[in-house]
């Protein structure tokens, strides 16, 4: 606040008194209707009340969306924008930039009306059609600088048969909802459609929590019943692992699911809800399982990411992309736990769990991208690769390695290390973080303490009482590019990590059949094709004089040779220049993880106890 020295005290006091009388408390009201849902349109009235007199109101469409890290361009789908003041008088609009509208000359109230268009069902965008409106708030609603802390009221005008599913606070009117501020509103995706509801309540330490499942799908009530029972089992397992439910702001957590054939597969975490979208229906056991996997992952976020949260994304900035150094933890550890919790709740057997665990480990050992960055670097790159699409090509396949995958490998390595060396577990680490940084303080919107990567290391030192270990672990696996030694780490669990001694040659490239030969989409920096100079767009015509009209024929030729041999490759470069180049064959040793049982090794009582403690249910029944 700036101190102003007044030249005339009495006149200023009069002015101050009258402006105080005129000023209204800041609040924002949104009204949304769907007069042309078939054409993917909604009409929005956004009213900003209590705007300081004489000020210019800067109205915005967001450049980002909670949980998505690439910059967004929602303003491109907004048009027919008009503004009036509190008395309905038209106001001029100017455009300071492509994502904003400036309004001056108002009377303290600015009412903006616009049409917004959307046709993508996922965790970021807006979708409206004749069956429903699937609204991610940043894609749908304009907001204004200076009004971020104002309370918000949303009135929805549903089509006949549509109901509203949202984490927004309900009112006595089933179409009117409130939010305490903009951060909360933006974090509250809302489905307006023919949703089917299920709910259940559990009380822990005298505090009840309610979980609701709201499904928009084309299937039966019985399918929703079965799926709700599965969700309930997973929820109980997650609560048991963390020791307590997160403590939802209004006592309720809502799973909002769009399982319709025209959805894009996605899932997005929010503070008291998640938006789940999938083309896979609940009609088959495999479909229910696939949808349960993303539900399990997102629900874990109601602790880690939503309350236990990286400092760099708290609060979320809606004017630019939000970068975090810790997505290897926020997303990667969540990935590790989603599979582990499905094993613990009995949805996977050991034999089904092992590939879930081993796949990321083997892929991370083999990726060329580790040469180009650490898990922290990859977390930062989420602003480019988390749903980003570009006209120009990127070298993403060779330089970016998913923080989901890599982070889950760090989590597995840490869990197994803690279990075998420190008689403690990753569960204990997560619960310690929850107590120190995430614990809900029982008042609405409690300020949890956001963490830095250094805090995560300090907590590991505290848990193990071994700061040398914590520092070494973070140096090698978080700030470094090493992969933990799973050969030794998996043995106490009775799992063998096997590397084949015979290495078969491979091209190390992503290929497609082409009318002229075999098309190279991209080549891995560790592969034979890359070293020989084969690049995206090249077409392999023949190897050692034998034609390669298909991927199968090419694979058959490679299989008849050995690693280290040099072959002559005929190719079309850029579709026209014919060249013959030498290619020396490389290969990657196949790796897999198997149980001691299938490897014919003895399984001791110690191994059984280790597995029980790691993979067994934590729910006390
Ligand atoms: Zn996630």
């Amino acid at each position: 606040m700036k101190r102003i020295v007044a030249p005339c005290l009495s006149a200023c006091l009069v002015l101050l008194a009258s402006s105080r009388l005129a000023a209204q408390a800041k609040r924002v009201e949104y009204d949304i209707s769907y007069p042309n849902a078939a054409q993917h349109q909604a009409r929005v009235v956004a009213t900003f009340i209590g705007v300081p007199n004489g000020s210019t109101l800067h109205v915005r469409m967001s450049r980002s969306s909670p949980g998505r890290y690439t910059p967004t361009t929602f303003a491109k789908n907004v048009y027919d924008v008009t503004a009036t003041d509190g008395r309905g008088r038209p106001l001029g609009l100017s455009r300071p930039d492509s994502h904003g509208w400036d309004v001056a000359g108002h009377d303290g109230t600015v009412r903006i009306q616009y049409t917004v268009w959307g046709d993508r069902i996922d965790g970021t965008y807006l979708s409206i059609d004749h069956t429903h409106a699937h609204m991610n708030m940043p894609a749908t609603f304009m907001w204004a600088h200076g009004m971020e802390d104002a309370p918000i009221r949303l009135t929805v005008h549903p089509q006949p048969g549509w109901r509203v599913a949202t984490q927004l606070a309900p009112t006595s009117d089933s179409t009117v909802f409130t939010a305490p501020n903009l951060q909360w509103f933006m974090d509250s995706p809302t489905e307006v459609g023919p949703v089917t509801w299920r709910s259940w309540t559990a009380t822990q330490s005298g505090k009840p929590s309610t979980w609701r499942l709201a499904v928009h799908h084309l299937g039966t009530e019985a399918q929703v019943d079965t799926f709700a029972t599965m969700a309930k089992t997973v929820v109980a397992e997650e609560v048991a692992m963390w020791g307590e439910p997160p403590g939802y702001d209004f006592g309720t957590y809502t799973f909002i699911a769009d399982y319709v054939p025209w959805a894009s597969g996605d899932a997005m975490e929010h503070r008291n809800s998640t938006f789940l979208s999938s083309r896979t229906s609940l009609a088959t056991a495999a479909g229910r399982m696939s949808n349960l996997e993303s539900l399990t992952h997102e629900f874990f976020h109601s602790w880690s990411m939503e309350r236990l949260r990286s400092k760099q994304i708290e609060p979320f900035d809606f004017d630019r992309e939000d970068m975090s150094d810790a997505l290897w933890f926020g997303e990667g550890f969540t990935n590790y736990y989603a599979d582990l919790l499905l094993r613990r709740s009995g949805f996977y057997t050991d034999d089904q769990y092992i590939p879930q665990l081993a796949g990321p480990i083997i892929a991370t050992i083999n990726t060329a991208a580790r040469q180009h960055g650490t898990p922290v670097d990859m977390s930062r790159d989420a602003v480019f690769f988390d749903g980003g699409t570009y006209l120009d090509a990127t070298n993403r396949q060779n330089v970016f390695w998913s923080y989901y995958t890599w982070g889950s490998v760090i989590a597995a390595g840490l869990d197994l290390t803690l279990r075998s060396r420190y008689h403690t577990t990753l569960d204990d680490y997560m619960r310690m973080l929850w107590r120190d940084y995430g614990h809900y303080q029982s008042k609405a919107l409690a300020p949890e303490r956001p963490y830095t990567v250094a805090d995560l290391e300090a907590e590991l030192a505290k848990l193990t009482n071994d700061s040398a270990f914590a520092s070494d672990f973070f140096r090698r696996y978080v700030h470094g590019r090493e992969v933990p030694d799973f050969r030794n780490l998996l043995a106490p669990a009775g799992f063998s990590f096997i590397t084949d001694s015979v290495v078969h040659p491979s091209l190390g490239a992503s290929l497609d059949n082409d009318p002229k030969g075999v098309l190279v989409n991209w080549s891995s920096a560790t592969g034979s094709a890359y070293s020989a100079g084969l690049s995206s767009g090249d077409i392999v015509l023949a190897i050692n004089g034998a034609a390669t009209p298909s991927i199968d024929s090419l694979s058959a030729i490679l299989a008849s040779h050995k690693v280290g041999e040099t072959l002559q490759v005929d190719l079309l470069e850029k579709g026209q220049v014919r060249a013959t180049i030498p290619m020396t064959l490389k290969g990657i040793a196949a790796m897999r993880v198997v149980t001691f049982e299938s490897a014919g090794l003895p399984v001791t009582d110690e191994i059984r106890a280790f597995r029980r403690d790691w993979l067994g249910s934590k729910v006390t029944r």
Side-chain angles (χ1 to χ4, degrees):
M1 196 196 228
K2 219 170 175 179
R3 200 185 167 92
I4 298 165
V5 181
C8 162
L9 194 61
S10 59
C12 288
L13 279 176
V14 170
L15 274 174
L16 194 65
S18 62
S19 75
R20 264 191 195 147
L21 280 176
Q24 288 198 59
K26 285 184 181 179
R27 61 195 164 89
V28 180
E29 292 181 355
Y30 293 113
D31 183 289
I32 187 160
S33 55
Y34 313 97
N36 199 354
Q39 291 301 338
H40 316 295
Q41 294 168 20
R43 192 69 189 154
V44 178
V45 183
T47 309
F48 302 92
I49 299 150
V51 182
N53 277 329
S55 69
T56 296
L57 187 69
H58 306 287
V59 182
R60 315 287 303 163
M61 279 304 280
S62 294
R63 293 287 280 129
S64 64
S65 186
R68 179 113 292 142
Y69 298 97
T70 42
T72 53
T73 52
F74 299 129
K76 70 183 178 300
N77 281 347
V78 165
Y79 48 92
D80 295 345
V81 184
T82 59
T84 52
D85 68 7
R87 279 164 278 189
R89 291 183 304 202
L91 296 170
L93 285 163
S94 59
R95 298 294 297 272
D97 61 43
S98 45
H99 305 279
W101 294 259
D102 281 357
V103 195
H106 55 79
D107 58 358
T109 294
V110 174
R111 180 166 290 125
I112 308 270
Q113 305 198 39
Y114 59 92
T115 297
V116 60
W117 191 97
D119 190 22
R120 183 180 166 88
I121 301 173
D122 74 355
T124 305
Y125 294 95
L126 168 69
S127 178
I128 301 163
D129 58 48
H130 71 276
T131 72
H132 76 151
H134 168 106
M135 304 191 295
N136 284 285
M137 302 323 222
T140 313
F141 294 100
M142 288 187 185
W143 52 281
H145 284 166
M147 302 292 285
E148 291 91 339
D149 295 329
I152 293 172
R153 186 180 164 89
L154 169 69
T155 303
V156 181
H157 299 276
Q159 305 278 43
W162 289 8
R163 293 173 289 278
V164 184
T166 181
Q167 72 170 29
L168 288 167
T171 66
S172 55
D173 183 333
S174 67
T175 60
V176 178
F177 299 85
T178 66
N181 55 40
L182 182 74
Q183 282 285 329
W184 217 90
F185 181 75
M186 288 302 206
D187 191 49
S188 305
T190 299
E191 167 80 10
V192 192
V195 294
T196 297
W197 292 93
R198 296 292 182 276
S199 75
W200 64 96
T201 297
T203 301
Q204 192 142 350
S205 318
K207 274 197 299 187
S209 297
T210 297
W211 288 275
R212 299 188 299 184
L213 173 65
V215 183
H216 172 207
H217 74 149
L218 307 179
T220 65
E221 293 290 314
Q223 290 162 8
V224 180
D225 284 335
T226 308
F227 190 63
T229 306
M230 293 165 78
K232 195 175 164 182
T233 304
V234 157
V235 163
E237 197 65 55
E238 300 206 24
V239 171
M241 182 254 130
W242 285 99
E244 62 178 6
Y248 300 111
D249 295 329
F250 296 98
T252 302
Y253 183 92
T254 309
F255 296 100
I256 309 170
D258 252 314
Y259 297 144
V260 291
W262 61 98
S264 300
D266 197 15
M268 191 57 76
E269 70 275 11
H270 297 281
R271 201 173 155 83
N272 304 288
S273 65
T274 176
F275 232 0
L276 306 165
S277 62
S278 168
R279 284 161 197 248
T280 309
S281 84
L282 299 176
T284 64
R288 288 189 290 272
M289 196 59 214
S290 140
N291 286 320
L292 186 70
E293 284 163 9
S294 50
L295 180 148
T296 306
H297 175 109
E298 299 311 318
F299 185 58
F300 196 82
H301 281 320
S302 66
W303 291 270
S304 179
M305 284 300 257
E306 289 304 327
R307 289 169 175 80
L308 194 56
R309 200 163 162 84
S310 158
K311 204 168 198 165
Q312 289 157 296
I313 53 169
E314 184 58 43
F316 213 73
D317 188 337
F318 293 104
D319 268 327
R320 58 188 56 79
E321 62 267 39
D322 293 67
M323 189 186 82
S324 165
D325 292 354
L327 296 182
W328 58 270
F329 175 77
E331 290 296 357
F333 277 44
T334 300
N335 247 18
Y336 170 70
Y337 267 107
D339 290 333
L340 180 59
L341 290 160
L342 287 167
R343 171 66 196 92
R344 286 183 179 171
S345 28
F347 291 104
Y348 292 151
T349 61
D350 283 353
D351 285 330
Q352 287 168 321
Y353 176 62
I354 286 174
Q356 310 287 337
L357 176 74
I361 294 171
I362 293 165
T364 302
I365 289 171
N366 289 329
T367 180
R370 273 199 294 132
Q371 297 165 20
H372 300 281
T374 67
V376 171
D377 296 325
M378 302 306 170
S379 298
R380 293 171 179 162
D381 279 351
V383 299
F384 303 121
F385 297 128
D386 176 36
T389 52
Y390 306 98
L391 275 179
D392 64 335
T394 67
N395 195 20
R396 167 186 174 144
Q397 286 91 350
N398 279 316
V399 299
F400 176 72
W401 189 239
S402 165
Y403 42 85
Y404 286 86
T405 309
W406 202 342
S408 75
V409 174
I410 298 169
L414 183 56
D415 199 2
L416 293 167
T417 305
L418 291 174
R419 285 169 188 278
S420 54
R421 272 180 60 183
Y422 292 94
H423 299 290
T424 179
T425 68
L426 195 66
D427 296 2
D428 293 319
Y429 178 64
M430 299 306 279
R431 283 192 291 263
M432 175 180 269
L433 282 167
W434 176 245
R435 278 195 304 276
D436 292 350
Y437 288 88
H439 200 289
Y440 185 72
Q441 310 287 326
S442 84
K443 60 178 197 285
L445 305 178
E448 295 98 11
R449 275 170 68 202
Y451 60 76
T452 62
V453 173
D455 293 329
L456 298 176
E457 183 183 323
E459 288 282 292
L460 183 59
K462 184 172 142 188
L463 176 75
T464 55
N465 199 22
D466 187 347
S467 56
F469 161 71
S471 147
D472 184 62
F473 189 92
F474 271 70
R475 184 181 57 77
R476 285 164 175 243
Y477 307 121
V478 175
H479 300 295
R481 299 153 194 204
E482 293 181 44
V483 177
D485 175 14
F486 284 97
R487 272 172 195 80
N488 286 319
L489 287 171
L490 285 165
F495 296 153
S496 276
F497 191 105
I498 297 169
T499 306
D500 278 358
S501 50
V502 180
V503 180
H504 298 287
S506 72
L507 219 51
S510 151
L511 305 171
D512 261 331
N513 286 317
D514 183 273
K516 298 192 190 92
V518 175
L519 173 72
V520 175
N521 289 316
W522 63 274
S523 48
S524 161
T526 53
S528 322
Y530 188 97
S531 303
L534 268 72
S535 177
S536 57
D538 290 347
I539 293 172
V540 179
L541 303 173
I543 294 180
N544 275 6
T548 53
S550 67
I551 296 173
D552 285 348
S553 60
L554 184 149
S555 301
I557 295 170
L558 287 185
S560 66
H561 293 276
K562 288 196 169 61
V563 169
E565 283 183 54
T566 299
L567 311 179
Q568 298 303 314
V569 181
D570 288 356
L571 71 154
L572 277 183
E573 288 177 331
K574 303 302 171 202
Q576 42 193 338
V577 183
R578 197 184 172 102
T580 301
I581 57 165
M583 177 174 73
T584 302
L585 290 179
K586 296 180 173 183
I588 290 175
M591 298 172 189
R592 64 193 179 279
V593 174
V594 298
T595 58
F596 275 17
E597 288 90 334
S598 50
L601 294 166
V603 179
T604 62
D605 286 349
E606 240 179 328
I607 285 175
R608 284 195 193 89
F610 190 105
R611 280 187 195 166
R612 212 166 31 243
D613 196 50
W614 178 29
L615 306 174
S617 175
K618 302 289 174 261
V619 177
T620 40
R621 293 189 172 90

